[in-house]
Amino acid sequence: MGYGVVVEELAVEVMAQLPDDRARREVMALVEVARMDPHAWPDVRDPGSVEEIRETFGRRC
């Protein structure tokens, strides 16, 4: 099984656990922002990235 398949299966599981359609739309909007400009997204390998993401996206993260 390839890495992309594992990530896709995990994403499906996570989306299924969201409480409602509004939450799913918010997640998809966030994914679209990252997809449109992936270099603007903080590098998650950087230990400080969690705080940077939290500052950028607020309570959604």
Side-chain angles (χ1 to χ4, degrees), residues 34-49:
R35 187 187 72 78
M36 294 299 292
D37 191 3
H39 300 292
W41 190 255
D43 186 344
V44 296
R45 295 170 293 188
D46 177 9
S49 68

Side-chain angles (χ1 to χ4, degrees), residues 23-34 57 60:
R24 288 181 199 92
R25 284 191 306 270
E26 287 184 8
V27 168
M28 291 308 296
L30 183 60
V31 168
E32 184 63 15
V33 168
F57 294 100
R60 293 183 184 181

